[in-house]
Amino acid sequence: MIFKSSFIKSGLSFLIVLMLMSGCQSPRKMVYLRKAAKKDSTQIFQQPHKDYNIAVNDVLYVRILTGNPEISALYNNVPASGFSISMSSEADQYINGFTVDKEGKIRLPVLGTVSVEGLTLFDAEKRIQQLADQYLIDATVIVRLLNYKVTVLGEVAQPGVYSHYNDQMTILQAIGKAGDITDLGDKRNVMVIRSVPEGQVTYQVDLTKKELLTSPAFFVKPNDVIYVKPSGSKAFRINLPIMSIFLSSLTTVIVLLQYFENQ
């Protein structure tokens, strides 16, 4: 009986130590960009390419403005008189924006077809400005990207699809929009899924390392999917209530065994 009691006590001690080890995370696993900038020093991290290039199926906001509203209306995708242009919903953007077709072109009123695939927004704006200058005096061209959406999934506070109206957003900003990574998320094991003309590519990134700043996944692109994987302790924490019941039962058994031993 003494042997059984000692064995159970040893097993209980082992389980308690295992719970403590599994429930704790090293500070190194919790801090973003660890050692990215040491005290009293400045480091510059070069990005190979951060400007977004327009792709097929992108939806662009294009406006050509002049001093005459009636002339401006001829060169823009403006609805009939009495209606205002809205870009508040995805349907509005699809109707009032300009979608890049399979040939990489958009069709503008009066100016006609313009090839924009592969151009940055700045270059597309310059190209349309050159066309507009052939017809108009002192025209101003504005080009923006409407379909900048990023999906954030996994161990974040608020998973979902998030819109962004700037052609440059970092993975840290995207995760910030989703309410940051939860305590069960693994900052060292984040996957980015990106669409490219050839298909899909994936990037595995570690948010705790400074090498993130030079990764091609640091600046996210439209339609990227960011998946934060769970930490190794998640399954343990999910099963913790069951283990607590088991440990409680085991403790009861030990107490009973000790009681009978002392009789």
Side-chain angles (χ1 to χ4, degrees):
M1 184 70 70
I2 295 175
F3 171 76
K4 290 183 179 179
S5 178
S6 300
F7 176 77
I8 294 175
K9 288 180 180 179
S10 300
L12 179 60
S13 300
F14 174 76
L15 287 174
I16 292 174
V17 172
L18 181 63
M19 288 176 63
L20 293 174
M21 292 178 62
S22 301
C24 298
Q25 291 194 44
S26 169
R28 294 183 300 175
K29 301 177 183 179
M30 301 171 65
V31 179
Y32 288 104
L33 301 175
R34 190 168 49 90
K35 296 183 180 180
K38 297 180 180 179
K39 186 177 180 180
D40 299 327
S41 67
T42 299
Q43 292 180 270
I44 298 177
F45 299 88
Q46 296 291 339
Q47 273 290 326
H49 182 70
K50 63 181 180 179
D51 291 328
Y52 178 68
N53 297 102
I54 297 171
V56 172
N57 294 325
D58 277 347
V59 181
L60 302 181
Y61 171 92
V62 180
R63 286 296 173 265
I64 300 173
L65 306 176
T66 69
N68 189 326
E70 294 181 356
I71 294 178
S72 296
L74 296 174
Y75 287 83
N76 292 284
N77 191 17
V78 178
S81 178
F83 294 88
S84 61
I85 298 177
S86 173
M87 293 290 182
S88 59
S89 70
E90 193 168 346
D92 292 333
Q93 294 173 7
Y94 177 78
I95 294 171
N96 298 318
F98 295 90
T99 302
V100 182
D101 63 22
K102 294 182 179 180
E103 296 181 352
K105 301 176 181 178
I106 57 174
R107 186 177 296 276
L108 300 175
V110 181
L111 297 184
T113 301
V114 183
S115 180
V116 294
E117 183 183 11
L119 300 179
T120 64
L121 294 178
F122 177 75
D123 291 336
E125 197 171 84
K126 284 178 57 179
R127 178 168 294 185
I128 297 172
Q129 181 72 60
Q130 292 172 353
L131 291 174
D133 289 342
Q134 298 177 15
Y135 298 88
L136 303 168
I137 298 176
D138 296 330
T140 300
V141 174
I142 302 173
V143 177
R144 298 290 184 269
L145 185 66
L146 289 175
N147 62 306
Y148 204 129
K149 295 178 176 63
V150 176
T151 302
V152 187
L153 301 174
E155 293 300 327
V156 292
Q158 299 173 344
V161 180
Y162 294 90
S163 298
H164 192 65
Y165 297 100
N166 187 326
D167 63 329
Q168 292 182 10
M169 178 168 66
T170 69
I171 188 173
L172 297 177
Q173 291 172 323
I175 291 174
K177 282 178 173 286
D180 204 0
I181 296 175
T182 67
D183 292 339
L184 298 180
D186 189 351
K187 292 183 176 67
R188 302 172 304 163
N189 197 7
V190 178
M191 180 169 61
V192 178
I193 305 172
R194 177 169 298 165
S195 297
V196 295
E198 297 78 17
Q200 306 288 328
V201 296
T202 60
Y203 301 95
Q204 207 72 25
V205 296
D206 185 341
L207 302 183
T208 68
K209 292 186 177 180
K210 63 183 180 180
E211 286 76 15
L212 169 69
L213 298 174
T214 56
S215 168
F218 181 66
F219 282 97
V220 296
K221 295 187 178 182
N223 302 315
D224 273 3
V225 177
I226 301 170
Y227 173 55
V228 181
K229 297 182 181 180
S231 63
S233 63
K234 181 178 181 179
F236 182 86
R237 295 190 186 188
I238 290 175
N239 295 319
L240 188 59
I242 298 175
M243 296 187 67
S244 297
I245 295 173
F246 171 75
L247 290 174
S248 178
S249 301
L250 188 59
T251 302
T252 302
V253 171
I254 291 174
V255 171
L256 290 173
L257 287 173
Q258 288 179 334
Y259 172 78
F260 287 118
E261 283 180 0
N262 295 328
Q263 295 302 311

